[in-house]
Amino acid sequence: GIGRTGAMLACYLVSNGYKAKEALDIVERERGYGLFTQGQYSAVYQFETILKINWKEKLLKGGLDA
């Protein structure tokens, strides 16, 4: 397949605090091309959503150490 490395790089950036759109823009700028399928883009946005939900649940349970 094509584009999986870019998708993983974007998810890595998201896991380090970047918004999905910012991460995708960085990947495209630095590599000279973006991802190749709508599914790959969707996966990065879904990953961002999952991280937000997980952080919110941890905070509601009493903090990040919970």
Side-chain angles (χ1 to χ4, degrees):
I2 300 174
R4 291 177 295 188
T5 300
M8 290 304 298
L9 289 170
C11 286
Y12 172 78
L13 292 171
V14 169
S15 74
N16 281 279
Y18 289 89
K19 301 240 184 260
K21 172 73 170 117
E22 295 170 321
L24 290 164
D25 288 344
I26 290 168
V27 167
E28 184 172 354
R29 183 179 67 241
E30 296 298 322
R31 298 182 82 210
Y33 55 91
L35 307 184
F36 290 90
T37 69
Q38 185 59 44
Q40 292 165 345
Y41 284 96
S42 294
V44 176
Y45 283 100
Q46 288 173 4
F47 182 71
E48 178 185 46
T49 300
I50 290 166
L51 285 182
K52 286 179 185 177
I53 291 168
N54 286 343
W55 279 96
K56 183 183 268 187
E57 287 176 359
K58 285 186 176 281
L59 290 173
L60 291 174
K61 289 181 181 176
L64 297 177
D65 295 328

